[in-house]
Amino acid sequence: MKISKKSQYGLRAMIHLAQKDGSFCSLKEISEKELIPFNYLEKICSQMEKGGLLKSRKGVYGGYTLAKKHEDITVGELFRCLGERMLLVDCIDGICAQKKHCKSINAWEKIQKSLEKTINSITLISLIK
């Protein structure tokens, strides 16, 4: 499993906004400070806004801010919003002909649950403290 650039950039943008403590921040600032290509960041932020993680405001003092408190946003929620597929192996999703006889499925399921528990426990506030 490899985390996509989209999710990596999305997390960096969210951390940047979490540090702004409710202030609106322009895409230009985020792009420059976090070294994220502007056009790609624009698409990512739009997707996060549609997913309820960000809110936007137009105008001179506009930009983006978090739609929820930074202690309520988890890395798992962000990854799901951006369409990150967090499966370690396909057989967990039931796509394996050997699943009924597989001796390793229990290991994969335990590792998968541990991964999900971890990413769902990491909040933005824990990353900025």
Side-chain angles (χ1 to χ4, degrees), residues 17 29 39-40 43 54 81 98 106 115:
L17 291 170
E29 177 185 323
N39 291 339
Y40 198 31
K43 292 173 186 172
L54 296 180
C81 175
Q98 296 286 21
N106 289 335
L115 172 66

Side-chain angles (χ1 to χ4, degrees), residues 41-105:
L41 178 62
E42 196 170 31
K43 292 173 186 172
I44 293 168
C45 287
S46 175
Q47 190 172 348
M48 291 190 295
E49 182 180 18
K50 288 176 187 167
L53 296 179
L54 296 180
K55 55 185 173 182
S56 66
R57 181 171 67 191
K58 295 190 186 290
V60 177
Y61 300 106
Y64 284 92
T65 190
L66 301 178
K68 302 192 245 181
K69 296 177 183 174
H70 41 26
E71 58 265 24
D72 295 335
I73 299 173
T74 67
V75 172
E77 182 179 18
L78 167 65
F79 285 176
R80 285 186 296 277
C81 175
L82 293 176
E84 192 70 54
R85 189 163 182 210
M86 298 301 300
L87 281 180
L88 293 171
V89 291
D90 288 336
C91 62
I92 291 174
D93 225 6
I95 305 173
C96 180
Q98 296 286 21
K99 190 169 183 177
K100 290 182 181 179
H101 308 291
C102 182
K103 302 293 184 203
S104 61
I105 188 68

